[in-house]
Amino acid sequence: FTGVEKNGLVEQLGIQIGPRSTLSVDGSFATNREGVFAGGDAVSGPSLVVRALKSGKDMAACIDNRLKKIIRH
């Protein structure tokens, strides 16, 4: 893994890339683009499968919470 592809969708959406050539996200896995989330190797770089599974589960919970807030309003 040498980092995310900078051309294509990442470039078109204007998603910020961090110093390690991974996507920049906040604590809830949200990128700088409203409604766009990222996780896994694209955010952390190469990782163990166990960490990737936990990250995916945590990201799903964050997205679920965000969608519930949208539906309530």
Side-chain angles (χ1 to χ4, degrees):
F1 183 81
T2 59
V4 297
E5 280 288 325
K6 294 166 182 68
N7 300 324
L9 190 58
V10 172
E11 181 180 53
Q12 290 171 6
L13 293 177
I15 297 173
Q16 291 178 343
I17 297 175
R20 294 178 32 218
S21 295
T22 56
L23 300 180
S24 296
V25 296
D26 65 15
S28 64
F29 300 91
T31 66
N32 61 299
R33 180 73 180 231
E34 181 66 31
V36 178
F37 297 83
D41 289 357
V43 171
S44 65
S47 182
L48 298 174
V49 172
V50 174
R51 287 185 185 152
L53 290 170
K54 179 168 180 359
S55 175
K57 185 176 179 180
D58 293 346
M59 182 173 61
C62 289
I63 293 170
D64 184 54
N65 288 335
R66 177 78 59 97
L67 292 174
K68 285 177 181 174
K69 286 179 185 176
I70 292 170
I71 291 171
R72 288 183 194 136
H73 290 131

